[in-house]
Amino acid sequence: KNEVEQSPQNLTAQEGEFITINCSYSVGISALHWLQQHPGGGIVSLFMLSSGKKKHGRLIATINIQEKHSSLHITASHPRDSAVYICAVRGYGQNFVFGPGTRLSVLP
Amino acid sequence: DSGVTQTPKHLITATGQRVTLRCSPRSGDLSVYWYQQSLDQGLQFLIQYYNGEERAKGNILERFSAQQFPDLHSELNLSSLELGDSALYFCASSVGVTDSYEQYFGPGTRLTVT
């Protein structure tokens, strides 16, 4: 079993839909990160979470430490949200482990 | 533009060779992280430096080494290159040493080993 799993692997949505991407991990962590990788390859850090919930614009990220689970929500999705979304955890040994990514396509 | 620069953008070299990738962090950032992204293994953390000192080590091969200089730029040295080292290499920088600080990613260096 991989240390970090994401679902779904691929997601196609219509513009305006509410989107949820899930991340589950199996190790103890000090923090969880959500990254966005654009089609051109550039990576942007969206959130760092160690507990609770964070919101930035139309993006919301939550984490449940007990259940070892995090979700990334996108409200009112737009074609410019099309990207690969990657979950990463940082263990207490300071190593980062990345999930396989969720490829999102938002159609106009 | 994240403010993090990486050179070169592309690099094509042969097996057995050695290359150096360079990263300049955002002004004021003291931490530099190096990551490798290959098609078969996805993103992997290689190493982190903070203010010139190594702070965390990930899946970095013995053939690879890195350092951070007094002006805070960092170099990743890859030697005895193999076909499997072909990948995108990203660096990222942040102000502090812990995860409390947002990481800003550079555009990456695409390495092709032939």
Side-chain angles (χ1 to χ4, degrees):
Chain A
K1 185 179 177 185
N2 294 329
E3 290 179 283
V4 181
E5 297 185 332
Q6 289 184 234
S7 64
Q9 275 189 315
N10 295 285
L11 181 55
T12 300
Q14 289 296 133
E15 183 173 357
E17 284 186 9
F18 181 85
I19 288 161
T20 296
I21 298 170
N22 296 297
C23 174
S24 296
Y25 53 93
S26 58
V27 297
I29 66 168
S30 60
L32 181 143
H33 297 255
W34 281 102
L35 308 175
Q36 180 192 53
Q37 186 165 29
H38 297 287
I43 297 177
V44 175
S45 175
L46 298 175
F47 293 104
M48 187 282 296
L49 295 160
S50 53
S51 65
K53 175 178 173 177
K54 286 189 177 179
K55 184 175 190 289
H56 184 234
R58 295 180 295 106
L59 302 179
I60 303 166
T62 64
I63 188 168
N64 185 318
I65 297 292
Q66 287 74 30
E67 294 187 5
K68 293 188 165 64
H69 181 269
S70 175
S71 293
L72 176 68
H73 306 286
I74 305 175
T75 62
S77 59
H78 190 276
R80 66 174 173 266
D81 297 326
S82 298
V84 176
Y85 292 84
I86 301 167
C87 168
V89 299
R90 191 164 203 186
Y92 294 113
Q94 298 297 299
N95 191 11
F96 283 93
V97 180
F98 292 86
T102 293
R103 185 174 300 275
L104 171 65
S105 295
V106 182
L107 305 177
Chain B
D1 183 0
S2 67
V4 179
T5 59
Q6 289 188 248
T7 56
K9 278 190 177 177
H10 303 275
L11 196 49
I12 301 174
T13 189
T15 54
Q17 295 299 304
R18 174 189 167 94
V19 296
T20 297
L21 312 184
R22 182 187 169 104
C23 171
S24 293
R26 287 188 330 150
S27 177
D29 284 359
L30 298 177
S31 264
V32 170
Y33 302 79
W34 284 99
Y35 301 95
Q36 179 194 57
Q37 186 175 37
S38 60
L39 280 175
D40 56 343
Q41 299 214 23
L43 265 168
Q44 291 195 87
F45 167 64
L46 297 179
I47 199 162
Q48 178 194 359
Y49 277 83
Y50 176 77
N51 204 20
E53 300 287 330
E54 181 185 306
R55 293 305 299 256
K57 214 166 188 174
N59 303 322
I60 189 165
L61 299 172
E62 283 194 15
R63 301 182 287 107
F64 296 2
S65 65
Q67 56 184 321
Q68 187 179 27
F69 294 87
D71 67 353
L72 300 176
H73 91 273
S74 179
E75 292 181 357
L76 179 67
N77 299 296
L78 316 176
S79 62
S80 303
L81 285 167
E82 302 175 359
L83 295 177
D85 298 327
S86 295
L88 258 175
Y89 291 84
F90 289 100
C91 79
S93 73
S94 69
V95 168
V97 67
T98 70
D99 287 292
S100 303
Y101 304 94
E102 182 176 356
Q103 291 187 35
Y104 295 86
F105 284 78
T109 292
R110 183 174 297 277
L111 173 67
T112 303
V113 183
T114 61

